[in-house]
Amino acid sequence: MFQFYEEALNWIHSRLRLGVKPGLKRMEWMMDKLDHPEKKMPTIHIGGTNGKGSTVTYLRSILQEAGLKVGTFTSPYFEHFNERISINGHSISEEDLVKITNVIKPLSDELEQTELGSPTEFEVITAMSFYYFAEVAPVDLAIYEVGLGGRFDSTNIITPQVSIITSIGLDHINILGNSYEQIAFEKAGIIKPHIPILTAVKQEEAFNVIKEKAVQMDAAIHRLGEHFFIDNHASLDKGEQFSLQTSKSYLENLEIRMLGRHQTENAALAVEAAILLAASYNITEEDIRQGLKKAYWPGRFEIVSSAPLIVLDGAHNEEGIETLVVELKRRFPERKKRLIFAALGDKKVDNMIKKLDSVSQMITFVSFDFPRAASAEELYQFSSLVHKRAEGDWQKAIIEELHALQSNEMLIITGSLYFLSEVKPFINTII
C-alpha cells in the first residue's frame, strides 16, 4: 500500500515502459472487478486529432455554469499530473490520488498474472478516474477525452450521452494509419448505437468514414458547417466573437477568451452538445454564454507575456502548426517572429518545420527530458532557414532568446505539449 503521493505517482509512471497496448479487454476486466463504475454516471466522449482539450474545457465550463458537478479526464497534463482527473476544473487531491491508486494497484498486480497481461499507464489512470468519479467524489456527469485514436482507446468502454470528434489530422500515423480515411476509421470507433455524434471534420474522405459508421450505428450526425453554422466571426483583443446557428436556435455574439478562429469551432461543438443536453440538465442560454466566456485551457495560443510578447502554443502535429502559422500572420503581421521548437521523435516533423520556416526570422531547436523527445540536432536538419540553431539546454535557449528580443519582435515557444508543460512554470519564474 502506498502512503505517500510520490510513491503512488512513481508506480503509475513506471508503467510507461509498457507503451501502448491497443484493446479493451484489460479495461473490461478491471471494470468488472470494480463493479463497473463507468456505468454509474452519465458521460460525454470527445475524440479527434486537435481541439479535444479545448472542447472539453468549453463544455465543462458551460455545464458547471448550469450548476453541475463535472468530472473531466484529459491528457496530457500541462503543469501538474493531477490535472488529468479533475472536478469543475480542480485537480484531484494528492490524498485522493493515493487512495485510488491503492484500489487499482492490487487489480493491476492480479491482471498481470492473467493472459491479458499488465495494464498500461493510460489504462491504470483511466480506471482510476472511473472509480474516482463514481465512488470517491461522485459527479453529475463526466467528460472523457480520448487518449489515442478511439476504437481501441481505454476510454472507449463508456456509452456516452453525446460523442464528439473534433478534427482529423495526420498524427500518430505509425499507430493509426497514414491516410485521413484510416485515422477517421479509428476515431469513428467511439460512435455508439443511437448516440448523437458531433464533428468538425473538414476532409470529405474522413467525414464519409464517420458518416458511414454513424449510419451503421443509427447515430444522428451533427456536422459543423452542415447541420450547425458559425456566423459573423470577429477577433477581439483578448479572444474571439461569433454567432452560432445551432440545430435548435440562433445565438448571437458569443465570446470566448481563447485566441484563434479554430477555437470558435471547438466552442461551437461544445455549444451544440450543450443544446442537445439542455433539457436533461436545465442548461440555459445564459449558462452557455457565461460558460464560454470563463473557459480557459493553457498552452493553446496563450499569450503569457505582452511585454515582451511571448506566446505558448502546443502545436504538436502538422495541422496544429498550420493553425499556429495562420494565427501568427493574422494577429501579428507586423511583428518579427523568433521561435523555439521541440518535438517528440516519433512525429513526422519535416512539414511542420517547413511551415514554421515560412513565418520565422529565427528558430532555435531544443530537446527536453522525455523518453521520446527528438534531439535538437535532429530537428535542426529539417530547417532551411538561414537563421537557425540547435541548443541542448532549452532553459538557456529561452533566456538567450528573451535577451535578444527587440521591441518589434515576439517569441513563440511551440511543439510538444509535454515540452510546454515544463516551459510554462519556468517562464512564470523569469518574467
Side-chain angles (χ1 to χ4, degrees):
M1 297 288 281
F2 301 114
Q3 288 185 292
F4 302 107
Y5 172 73
E6 288 73 18
E7 290 179 293
L9 200 57
N10 287 339
W11 176 76
I12 293 167
H13 287 330
S14 73
R15 315 201 66 72
L16 277 168
R17 72 183 189 281
L18 299 168
V20 176
K21 295 163 67 173
L24 301 177
K25 291 190 180 301
R26 286 175 300 279
M27 282 302 301
E28 290 165 349
W29 186 95
M30 287 191 285
M31 292 301 101
D32 192 49
K33 292 284 185 178
L34 291 168
D35 192 27
H36 292 283
E38 83 283 7
K39 295 180 180 178
K40 295 180 180 178
M41 63 200 165
T43 55
I44 295 166
H45 209 184
I46 301 183
T49 302
N50 294 312
K52 297 189 296 291
S54 299
T55 305
V56 168
T57 302
Y58 288 124
L59 187 50
R60 187 265 298 165
S61 189
I62 291 168
L63 295 170
Q64 191 178 333
E65 201 66 23
L68 298 173
K69 187 177 181 182
V70 187
T72 52
F73 179 72
T74 56
S75 61
Y77 63 92
F78 197 70
E79 290 185 62
H80 194 255
F81 176 83
N82 295 26
E83 296 167 19
R84 298 184 67 168
I85 302 173
S86 296
I87 295 177
N88 285 1
H90 299 289
S91 305
I92 183 175
S93 70
E94 293 185 357
E95 293 79 9
D96 279 346
L97 188 117
V98 171
K99 182 189 297 184
I100 61 175
T101 306
N102 282 329
V103 171
I104 300 301
K105 185 183 185 297
L107 294 182
S108 173
D109 293 343
E110 187 181 344
L111 181 54
E112 190 171 350
Q113 302 308 312
T114 73
E115 61 183 13
L116 297 175
S118 297
T120 65
E121 185 208 37
F122 192 76
E123 288 170 335
V124 160
I125 302 167
T126 308
M128 288 166 59
S129 74
F130 286 129
Y131 185 79
Y132 180 66
F133 293 143
E135 306 291 353
V136 178
V139 297
D140 296 314
L141 189 149
I143 308 175
Y144 272 79
E145 178 187 333
V146 171
L148 177 64
R151 186 165 61 110
F152 292 129
D153 188 75
S154 61
T155 62
N156 203 28
I157 57 171
I158 59 177
T159 300
Q161 297 191 332
V162 175
S163 302
I164 300 173
I165 299 173
T166 56
S167 68
I168 298 291
L170 297 178
D171 201 3
H172 301 292
I173 58 176
N174 56 323
I175 298 172
L176 302 180
N178 57 12
S179 71
Y180 290 119
E181 293 96 332
Q182 287 175 310
I183 293 175
F185 178 75
E186 297 298 330
K187 307 286 187 191
I190 70 170
I191 300 174
K192 301 294 194 304
H194 317 300
I195 305 299
I197 173 71
L198 282 55
T199 186
V201 168
K202 292 183 172 65
Q203 305 93 340
E204 286 304 319
E205 64 269 37
F207 175 71
N208 288 336
V209 172
I210 292 168
K211 185 177 180 181
E212 183 179 340
K213 180 71 170 181
V215 170
Q216 288 173 10
M217 293 292 179
D218 193 24
I221 192 162
H222 298 242
R223 186 190 190 188
L224 181 61
E226 189 173 332
H227 305 104
F228 59 112
F229 305 86
I230 291 171
D231 194 16
N232 298 327
H233 167 248
S235 290
L236 310 174
D237 286 344
K238 295 185 178 180
E240 310 289 335
Q241 184 183 77
F242 65 103
S243 299
L244 185 68
Q245 176 64 61
T246 75
S247 54
K248 296 185 178 180
S249 59
Y250 186 72
L251 302 176
E252 287 188 277
N253 299 330
L254 299 170
E255 290 185 16
I256 55 176
R257 283 197 296 162
M258 290 191 263
L259 301 177
R261 185 180 182 88
H262 61 291
Q263 288 294 359
T264 66
E265 297 176 3
N266 299 328
L269 287 167
V271 172
E272 179 71 1
I275 292 291
L276 297 182
L277 296 166
S280 301
Y281 293 100
N282 195 27
I283 302 166
T284 66
E285 180 178 328
E286 190 61 18
D287 296 331
I288 291 171
R289 290 185 178 279
Q290 291 304 315
L292 290 182
K293 266 188 184 179
K294 293 177 181 178
Y296 163 73
W297 193 236
R300 276 61 174 186
F301 208 91
E302 181 182 8
I303 298 174
V304 292
S305 169
S306 52
L309 181 54
I310 307 171
V311 171
L312 300 187
D313 190 71
H316 56 277
N317 52 43
E318 194 174 332
E319 287 74 21
I321 293 288
E322 176 66 34
T323 297
L324 169 62
V325 167
V326 167
E327 283 304 313
L328 287 172
K329 289 177 177 177
R330 195 170 67 86
R331 278 195 170 263
F332 303 107
E334 306 303 321
R335 291 268 187 166
K336 292 183 177 178
K337 299 162 183 72
R338 304 175 75 97
L339 272 86
I340 296 175
F341 178 72
L344 298 184
D346 54 6
K347 297 283 184 174
K348 195 173 184 303
V349 297
D350 51 349
N351 286 339
M352 294 165 64
I353 291 172
K354 187 183 295 184
K355 291 177 189 296
L356 292 177
D357 281 352
S358 72
V359 77
S360 310
Q361 274 66 49
M362 168 73 187
I363 299 185
T364 301
F365 297 100
V366 299
S367 190
F368 62 109
D369 186 16
F370 192 78
R372 306 192 331 262
S375 73
E377 290 73 20
E378 285 177 76
L379 300 173
Y380 176 91
Q381 300 300 324
F382 286 106
S383 174
S384 58
L385 205 65
V386 173
H387 300 294
K388 62 177 179 175
R389 66 178 178 133
E391 171 56 66
D393 183 341
W394 63 263
Q395 294 182 336
K396 180 184 174 190
I398 290 174
I399 291 169
E400 289 175 347
E401 285 301 292
L402 286 176
H403 283 155
L405 209 59
Q406 302 295 309
S407 59
N408 65 335
E409 296 178 323
M410 64 186 297
L411 178 63
I412 303 103
I413 306 173
T414 188
S416 167
L417 282 167
Y418 294 102
F419 170 55
L420 290 195
S421 73
E422 296 184 21
V423 168
K424 178 77 181 284
F426 176 71
I427 286 284
N428 289 340
T429 67
I430 62 173
I431 58 172

